[in-house]
Amino acid sequence: MLSRRHLLAATGAAVAAPAIVREAAAQATRWQMATPYPDGNFHTRNIRTFLEEIQAASNGRLAVQLHSGAALLPMPQIKRGVQTGQVQLGEILLAAYANEDVFFDADSIPQLVSNLAEAKKLADLQRPYIEQRLARQGLSLLYMVPWPPAGLYAQQPITSIEGLRGLRFRTFSPATNRFATIVGAQPTLVQAAELAQAFATGVAQAQITSAQTGVDTSAWDYAKVFTPLGFTMTKNAVMVSRRAMEALPADLQQAIRAAAARAEVRGYELAGESQTSSERTLGQRGMQVIPPTNEFMDGLRRVSAQMTEEWVQRAGADGKALIEAYRRA
């Protein structure tokens, strides 16, 4: 028979156990992550897998809440949000921040990159420059994943570069703004979430972006023709606050970087799948998917040569070294 002392000790232990569990839960590090893209987008699906992996590896030490579809922060505010600690993790389109640094924009040069193999070569060469620049701002780059090749959305087939002249052209980065200016279109900055309204109200009449963005924004509701151009393959970057990262145990930091490496590999696979499935969806929803004419591609290559030279001039010696290394590769 248990003594009164033993009964009291057992009861105390039973009461203390839930308290220990509650205390451990309360001590778990909680992070927030912001992305501007909707849940169905392959970038967002990739992020969810990434977060599931790092939370599982943390054994309850880290919990991350994802805010997708610009629900917490719009694209222009996400990077600053990670820098200030408003969120600990963020995903951005690097090209959207090219006004901060020209190296965020190398993949926005038309025709420089037109397939996944080329995108990977450029990204690997670009990575040290980007890591260095983000580190100066208290950020650490985790991984980068390209969008599928961009194409032209319009209300009718456009058979030459000159056909863009005078059109109100949706832009989303300094490079797309420059492209519109060179071809004589009227550039207008529109975020992806506002595309349908912009086209419906006549603010925009044409744009160049990926088939995936077309699916995300139901492009069949506002455009009639999609022309795959292999225009660019811009990249998204997932970054973390360096202060938040360094506050974690070393083993958890290592687990996050390992999960990020897997996310990058998976992201390239998803980008390839997205290109095929998204173009098919556009066609199934009633859009004409029309290959570009030779005349249009000739004009696009002329613009590419001009924009490449302009980019190198802005980027200086490092930019020249990057482009030369990419061409050798």
Side-chain angles (χ1 to χ4, degrees):
M1 183 178 294
L2 292 173
S3 67
R4 179 178 176 82
R5 181 184 302 170
H6 289 151
L7 285 172
L8 287 173
T11 302
V15 172
I20 293 171
V21 172
R22 287 195 300 271
E23 182 179 358
Q27 290 176 350
T29 300
R30 299 187 180 278
W31 281 5
Q32 306 294 320
M33 178 170 187
T35 178
Y37 304 106
D39 287 326
N41 185 285
F42 76 93
H43 285 289
T44 310
R45 290 188 282 114
N46 192 28
I47 284 172
R48 288 196 180 279
T49 303
F50 165 66
L51 296 182
E52 288 168 2
E53 289 184 359
I54 64 175
Q55 288 177 124
S58 78
N59 293 317
R61 292 174 292 167
L62 177 64
V64 186
Q65 182 177 0
L66 176 63
H67 303 271
S68 58
L72 180 62
L73 294 171
M75 165 79 81
Q77 297 177 22
I78 289 177
K79 182 169 170 289
R80 182 64 179 168
V82 182
Q83 288 177 257
T84 60
Q86 186 175 0
V87 293
Q88 288 72 39
L89 287 161
E91 180 187 36
I92 62 169
L93 176 69
L94 273 172
Y97 288 81
N99 280 333
E100 289 188 13
D101 196 291
V102 66
F103 267 83
F104 293 160
D105 212 19
D107 54 17
S108 295
I109 300 171
Q111 294 290 292
L112 183 64
V113 164
S114 59
N115 59 56
L116 287 170
E118 292 173 353
K120 187 69 168 69
K121 287 178 184 177
L122 180 62
D124 288 346
L125 291 167
Q126 210 178 348
R127 187 179 187 107
Y129 298 101
I130 293 173
E131 286 179 329
Q132 182 184 57
R133 284 153 174 79
L134 293 180
R136 291 199 295 259
Q137 299 174 323
L139 302 169
S140 291
L141 177 66
L142 291 176
Y143 68 87
M144 297 184 291
V145 171
W147 287 86
L152 175 65
Y153 293 79
Q155 305 303 342
Q156 63 281 320
I158 296 177
T159 59
S160 70
I161 283 288
E162 288 72 26
L164 296 172
R165 185 174 294 123
L167 293 182
R168 290 184 289 277
F169 192 88
R170 176 257 174 160
T171 66
F172 54 85
S173 68
T176 52
N177 193 80
R178 178 60 180 150
F179 173 80
T181 301
I182 290 173
V183 302
Q186 301 175 34
T188 178
L189 179 64
V190 179
Q191 297 298 329
E194 302 163 351
L195 272 173
Q197 182 179 2
F199 274 82
T201 57
V203 170
Q205 297 172 300
Q207 68 165 340
I208 287 179
T209 193
S210 70
Q212 176 66 63
T213 298
V215 172
D216 289 346
T217 60
S218 302
W220 46 87
D221 289 337
Y222 60 79
K224 297 179 181 178
V225 179
F226 176 73
T227 302
L229 295 177
F231 183 77
T232 56
M233 294 184 69
T234 52
K235 293 186 289 294
N236 280 6
V238 171
M239 61 192 64
V240 62
S241 160
R242 194 168 61 186
R243 177 179 296 178
M245 185 74 152
E246 291 175 352
L248 297 176
D251 69 308
L252 188 47
Q253 292 184 44
Q254 184 177 359
I256 290 172
R257 295 206 176 274
R262 292 191 296 272
E264 183 163 293
V265 173
R266 185 171 57 243
Y268 273 81
E269 295 170 354
L270 291 171
E273 295 169 6
S274 170
Q275 179 180 357
T276 302
S277 63
S278 297
E279 288 184 12
R280 182 171 59 245
T281 298
L282 295 178
Q284 290 172 342
R285 292 302 186 105
M287 292 189 70
Q288 299 178 61
V289 180
I290 302 176
T293 65
N294 290 335
E295 183 181 4
F296 194 105
M297 294 306 295
D298 287 343
L300 188 56
R301 282 187 280 271
R302 290 194 300 272
V303 175
S304 174
Q306 178 179 342
M307 291 185 66
T308 301
E309 180 59 30
E310 291 177 352
W311 188 88
V312 169
Q313 289 178 3
R314 287 184 288 122
D318 282 351
K320 182 179 180 181
L322 173 65
I323 296 299
E324 289 177 350
Y326 171 71
R327 286 173 171 164
R328 287 195 302 270

